[in-house]
């Protein structure tokens, strides 16, 4: 199975989950390919981010969404399509967790794979 990290970025955020205030969120998009099947999945994980060096991810305030599962393979065109939809899908996940992502306040530059 090949797992490709297409995108990952950390943002300022707000989310109270399991009694712990989280001030950061990591948003990602992955593609997974196996036996001629391609699967795209994105996710959001809120984490405490108590100071500028705190990027310890806590996986209890996390949600994922499968965007596609079909025969075929990864393509730059599909990557671009799902990157365009990423913010909307991430905001949906954040809402189910009771959180908000501050898209205009990145904590680190985006990493593309």
């Amino acid at each position: 199975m090949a797992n490709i990290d297409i995108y990952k970025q950390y943002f300022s955020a707000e989310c109270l989950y399991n009694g712990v205030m989280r001030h950061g969120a990591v948003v990602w998009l992955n593609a997974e390919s196996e036996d001629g099947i391609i699967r795209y999945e994105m996710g959001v994980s809120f984490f405490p981010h108590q100071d500028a060096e705190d990027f310890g991810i806590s996986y209890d305030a996390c949600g994922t969404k499968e965007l596609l599962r079909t025969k075929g393979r990864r393509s730059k065109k599909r990557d671009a399509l799902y990157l365009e939809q990423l913010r909307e899908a991430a905001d949906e996940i954040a809402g189910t967790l009771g959180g908000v992502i501050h898209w205009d306040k990145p904590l680190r530059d985006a990493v593309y794979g």
Side-chain angles (χ1 to χ4, degrees):
M1 174 184 320
N3 188 359
I4 302 106
D5 297 325
I6 297 170
Y7 167 85
K8 185 180 203 178
Q9 190 167 13
Y10 295 81
F11 294 92
S12 173
E14 300 299 323
C15 181
L16 179 61
Y17 196 87
N18 281 341
V20 177
M21 191 63 188
R22 286 85 186 324
H23 301 283
V26 60
V27 179
W28 68 88
L29 174 64
N30 292 340
E32 196 174 87
S33 178
E34 182 174 24
D35 298 328
I37 302 294
I38 185 69
R39 178 177 175 265
Y40 281 83
E41 179 183 73
M42 58 83 47
V44 176
S45 183
F46 290 95
F47 59 98
H49 194 60
Q50 299 298 330
D51 59 57
E53 301 300 317
D54 180 13
F55 286 89
I57 304 301
S58 53
Y59 292 98
D60 63 338
C62 179
T64 60
K65 181 176 183 178
E66 184 175 84
L67 302 173
L68 175 74
R69 181 188 298 259
T70 190
K71 289 183 180 182
R73 50 186 217 188
R74 178 183 175 215
S75 71
K76 295 292 181 182
K77 186 176 178 180
R78 282 185 175 155
D79 289 1
L81 173 68
Y82 294 116
L83 279 170
E84 286 177 16
Q85 299 174 12
L86 187 77
R87 284 190 181 193
E88 183 179 331
D91 284 339
E92 287 177 24
I93 292 171
T96 65
L97 297 169
V100 175
I101 301 166
H102 302 295
W103 296 105
D104 60 336
K105 297 179 184 176
L107 298 173
R108 293 203 171 157
D109 290 337
V111 176
Y112 295 91

